[in-house]
Amino acid sequence: MDKRVIVVGGANGVGAACVRSLTGAGASVFSLDMAEEPGRRVAEQAGAGFLPCDVTSREQVFSAVDSAASEMGGLDALVHVAGILVQGPAEELTDEVWSRAMDINARGPMLTNQAAFPHLKKGDRSCILNFASSAALTAYPGGAAYSASKGAVTAWTRTIAVEWARFGIRANVIHPSAATSMVEQHRNKMSDEEKAAYAELMRQKVPLGGEFGDPDRDIAPVITFLVSDGARFMTGQNIPINGGYYI
Ligand SMILES: NC(=O)c1ccc[n+]([C@@H]2O[C@H](COP(=O)([O-])OP(=O)(O)OC[C@H]3O[C@@H](n4cnc5c(N)ncnc54)[C@H](O)[C@@H]3O)[C@@H](O)[C@H]2O)c1
């Protein structure tokens, strides 16, 4: 694939799988993440470049995106995977937790998308993929701040899909379900009974396999397709990759 791609959040989980899938398909890839050690390791193993970057810093984001685009001789796609899960009952939510979720999950994509924009608009078939969650589309009891932050990035992406279409930039939102450390940390906070109930819920709710997907086999190949020109007529869409969860 003749594409130059930045993956934001490429150190772990789904982002790391995207780095591997895209380089495997022949794309030039730069991974950006605040987690330096795993970020460099994953990138090195996949033959990608790496730059440390905290998505909440406008300065770091613009500097890293400009450097990566310059190293690759341009930019065709930005895949913003980075995000955090925050939880807690809605009535107990603090300003601090709300702001942290919004900062990383909503302001982060806004900054990386803005930083990529001048590079992407130089091409005629560019794209942005932002990561949200089924929590943006359905109720997520116990995760109101997370849900609101993912709703924000979903609405932002829908709007830039229209605003930036005239610059040849497509923009879509991914709603994944994948077994990663984010999910593992969530499960680790549960009691044995809660874990069993959660596993049963997944068995009932996910027609394909009854559990979370595999980042490399189930999620990343779809991302590689969406970056490719095969998806050139797709924009502004919510794209769940979740085995049929919440159909
Ligand atoms: N795994 C799932 O089932 C699932 C479900 C719904 C949505 N999502 C979303 O998909 C995306 C990927 O999830 P994952 O499970 O691979 O998560 P993960 O925790 O495995 O990886 C997230 C990555 O984002 C990076 N990151 C976090 N904050 C950052 C910051 N401020 N600056 C730069 N990098 C930062 C982390 O270092 C990490 O490498 C996230 O946006 C998540 O909210 C995942």
Side-chain angles (χ1 to χ4, degrees):
M1 182 200 291
D2 186 20
K3 296 282 183 193
R4 297 154 298 182
V5 188
I6 290 176
V7 177
V8 185
N12 292 288
V14 173
C18 290
V19 170
R20 290 188 283 270
S21 176
L22 286 158
T23 53
S28 299
V29 177
F30 248 87
S31 165
L32 273 46
D33 202 299
M34 68 188 294
E36 280 203 52
E37 192 278 319
R40 282 191 199 286
R41 181 166 29 84
V42 167
E44 206 170 299
Q45 283 169 359
F50 176 80
L51 286 168
C53 173
D54 180 343
V55 300
T56 64
S57 160
R58 178 173 282 273
E59 202 185 355
Q60 284 185 34
V61 166
F62 274 71
S63 159
V65 168
D66 287 349
S67 301
S70 154
E71 284 281 328
M72 293 189 287
L75 186 65
D76 301 298
L78 176 92
V79 180
H80 186 118
V81 191
I84 55 158
L85 178 62
V86 297
Q87 287 173 306
E91 67 277 17
E92 290 173 15
L93 204 52
T94 61
D95 293 350
E96 193 192 354
V97 171
W98 175 269
S99 298
R100 191 160 158 263
M102 285 295 176
D103 235 23
I104 297 174
N105 292 347
R107 202 167 64 82
M110 181 272 284
L111 290 176
T112 60
N113 294 186
Q114 279 187 342
F117 174 73
H119 303 287
L120 295 175
K121 78 174 187 179
K122 287 182 189 156
D124 61 347
R125 283 183 201 165
S126 309
C127 87
I128 290 173
L129 295 172
N130 288 326
F131 272 65
S133 165
S134 59
L137 307 172
T138 60
Y140 182 41
Y146 179 73
S147 168
S149 67
K150 292 300 192 177
V153 69
T154 301
W156 156 269
T157 310
R158 185 187 301 133
T159 295
I160 61 168
V162 176
E163 281 195 28
W164 294 353
R166 68 195 170 96
F167 301 108
I169 302 171
R170 300 184 289 110
N172 291 294
V173 199
I174 309 302
H175 305 275
S177 173
T180 64
S181 57
M182 180 182 278
V183 171
E184 202 49 40
Q185 280 164 19
H186 174 46
R187 274 193 184 146
N188 288 343
K189 289 181 191 147
M190 296 176 181
S191 65
D192 286 348
E193 294 82 57
E194 286 169 334
K195 275 184 195 152
Y198 192 57
E200 183 52 32
L201 179 78
M202 292 300 285
R203 268 193 291 279
Q204 286 174 14
K205 289 278 184 190
V206 184
L208 289 181
E211 55 184 22
F212 286 87
D214 177 81
D216 286 279
R217 278 183 304 157
D218 298 325
I219 313 292
V222 184
I223 302 306
T224 296
F225 165 71
L226 290 168
V227 164
S228 80
D229 289 339
R232 56 178 275 168
F233 204 46
M234 292 177 71
T235 199
Q237 300 304 304
N238 287 304
I239 302 166
I241 315 173
N242 61 12
Y245 188 57
Y246 278 120
I247 287 176

